[in-house]
Amino acid sequence: MTIKVGIPRALLFYEYAPLWISFFNDVGAEVIVSDKSNKRILNNGTIYTVEDACIPVKLYNGHVLYLKDKVDYLFIPRIMGVYEKEYICPKFCGLPEVVKYSIKDLPKLINTKIDLTKSSNMKDAILNMGSYITTDKKRIISAYEKALIKYNEHKSSMKNTYINEQNEQIMIMGHPYILYDEYLNMNVIKKLKSYGYSCITPDNLDDDLVNEYANSYPGKIFWLFFRKMLGSCLYLIENNFFDGVIYISSFGCGIDSVVAETIERRLRRETNIPFMLMTIDEHSGEAGFNTRLEAFIDMLEWRKINENNISTHGNNLYSRENNIRGVRY
Ligand code: SF4
């Protein structure tokens, strides 16, 4: 009988899905991915997770609950790091425990430790992942090699797809599991498209370019997603053809409290590109979210027509030079 492996459609699934799915299929498992996020999945996850966890972790537990009775194994890797001397959120290092101590009667876990900062450990990690399904080491290695090709193809298909200086475009920033989960981000990309704006995410930019810009930052880059977002931010500061930046963050995310703040400060200090931070949690209502989005778009349109691109950050609005004291906003 074919072994069924469940993969929760949450957190780093949005980064590594092509690799994980292809790998487990090729070693001979049947892969079951949980449904797209919805209200029921989030509500269940919220009930089973400690209150002060961030919404992506609550949602992850909701996806685990969805799969729990449908599979033989749940793939919940322990990801320790991706780049040398850079850290990943501790929730990823302790994810198997977060799940295990939240939800009872789970199927067996494939909780392989994956540390991409040490390439020597990668082969052991792959062999460990595959050993739950087959004892054939050659098959495991070949499945991994194929999966890596699929992953790289997927990543390059996302690059430079839409960037065009002529278009009206908005950079959307945030962690991939927020940016690409339509339920969590309340379909922000589709909504912005309906207003005539194309959306660029840090994943659409060339990795080498992002790294080059990130490396020019004088401070230490401690966090994995900080590199991607900071590099993208510095890129757009220099190539000023974005109409606005929207950062979607999760309430209670310690990493975003630093990353979003740094991005906002750099943009406000060095550009007049409008910036909006949207913080979401399980209580966020779509009506409120839409209102803020519409207000942001209205402001973009309004400043194009009426304000000659005066900074929206307040520095110039009441200055003598602009002579618009008394204008109400
Ligand atoms: S980085 Fe932030 S949003 Fe992501 S899992 Fe960690 S605390 Fe949650």
Side-chain angles (χ1 to χ4, degrees):
M1 213 172 65
T2 314
I3 296 171
K4 290 181 185 163
V5 174
I7 306 184
R9 192 189 291 267
L11 293 180
L12 292 183
F13 171 86
Y14 286 98
E15 184 70 22
Y16 295 112
L19 191 145
W20 293 346
I21 294 172
S22 163
F23 174 76
F24 282 113
N25 273 328
D26 277 348
V27 288
E30 180 188 344
V31 175
I32 301 185
V33 176
S34 51
D35 257 5
K36 286 189 176 175
S37 302
N38 56 43
K39 194 170 191 298
R40 196 161 52 87
I41 290 178
L42 177 60
N43 284 349
N44 287 341
T46 304
I47 293 166
Y48 278 83
T49 316
V50 287
E51 247 170 54
D52 50 3
C54 60
I55 188 170
V57 167
K58 289 176 180 165
L59 193 62
Y60 191 87
N61 273 342
H63 283 276
V64 169
L65 284 158
Y66 174 96
L67 290 168
K68 165 173 130 37
D69 301 318
K70 300 180 176 70
V71 295
D72 303 302
Y73 287 99
L74 269 171
F75 179 55
I76 305 184
R78 184 189 307 285
I79 298 185
M80 305 301 290
V82 175
Y83 293 107
E84 221 174 311
K85 295 191 184 143
E86 284 175 24
Y87 303 98
I88 196 161
C89 168
K91 308 261 172 45
F92 295 109
C93 312
L95 197 57
E97 281 71 33
V98 171
V99 174
K100 220 162 52 188
Y101 294 113
S102 305
I103 303 167
K104 284 190 184 138
D105 303 324
L106 290 169
K108 285 180 208 148
L109 302 190
I110 302 179
N111 57 357
T112 308
K113 180 174 160 185
I114 301 176
D115 190 349
L116 300 176
T117 61
K118 296 174 184 148
S119 54
S120 52
N121 291 348
M122 202 50 213
K123 192 174 169 198
D124 289 345
I126 296 306
L127 289 174
N128 177 277
M129 272 164 68
S131 68
Y132 289 84
I133 317 298
T134 175
T135 50
D136 184 344
K137 290 187 179 174
K138 261 192 181 167
R139 185 174 182 182
I140 297 173
I141 297 292
S142 134
Y144 174 65
E145 283 165 358
K146 268 199 221 161
L148 203 55
I149 293 172
K150 289 228 167 106
Y151 172 72
N152 288 333
E153 280 170 2
H154 165 75
K155 280 284 165 195
S156 40
S157 73
M158 295 179 86
K159 304 294 172 203
N160 296 326
T161 20
Y162 312 107
I163 299 175
N164 181 341
E165 291 180 39
Q166 311 308 321
N167 280 353
E168 304 199 293
Q169 48 199 359
I170 291 176
M171 169 78 81
I172 307 275
M173 288 190 177
H175 299 202
Y177 38 87
I178 296 180
L179 290 188
Y180 306 119
D181 186 318
E182 290 172 351
Y183 179 74
L184 208 50
N185 67 37
M186 301 187 212
N187 243 320
V188 65
I189 293 181
K190 206 165 160 195
K191 282 174 183 159
L192 287 171
K193 277 187 183 157
S194 75
Y195 292 120
Y197 285 85
S198 57
C199 294
I200 306 295
T201 71
D203 288 305
N204 297 135
L205 303 179
D206 182 73
D207 285 340
D208 291 340
L209 195 71
V210 169
N211 279 330
E212 195 185 308
Y213 277 95
N215 291 340
S216 70
Y217 181 68
K220 173 90 186 87
I221 295 175
F222 286 106
W223 303 104
L224 167 67
F225 296 117
F226 189 19
R227 165 174 291 280
K228 214 182 229 182
M229 283 183 270
L230 181 71
S232 311
C233 165
L234 297 179
Y235 165 80
L236 72 86
I237 285 173
E238 215 170 285
N239 302 276
N240 196 346
F241 46 74
F242 288 89
D243 296 277
V245 177
I246 298 177
Y247 194 117
I248 307 182
S249 167
S250 150
F251 180 74
C253 172
I255 290 168
D256 269 355
S257 64
V258 177
V259 179
E261 177 74 17
T262 309
I263 302 289
E264 182 171 1
R265 279 189 197 192
R266 291 298 295 246
L267 283 172
R268 292 203 190 290
R269 207 166 58 203
E270 292 166 49
T271 73
N272 64 357
I273 301 173
F275 173 90
M276 177 168 70
L277 175 66
M278 307 271 264
T279 304
I280 51 165
D281 68 6
E282 60 275 25
H283 307 294
S284 300
E286 191 160 359
F289 186 90
N290 289 349
T291 307
R292 288 198 64 201
L293 211 56
E294 281 163 22
F296 188 73
I297 298 296
D298 280 352
M299 180 272 297
L300 294 188
E301 300 295 328
W302 175 80
R303 75 197 284 264
K304 261 189 255 166
I305 301 163
N306 300 316
E307 291 297 320
N308 196 24
N309 273 307
I310 290 172
S311 160
T312 53
H313 313 326
N315 291 344
N316 300 325
L317 289 178
Y318 300 100
S319 70
R320 211 166 274 196
E321 297 92 292
N322 289 322
N323 195 25
I324 53 170
R325 197 186 285 265
V327 174
R328 297 188 60 190
Y329 298 95

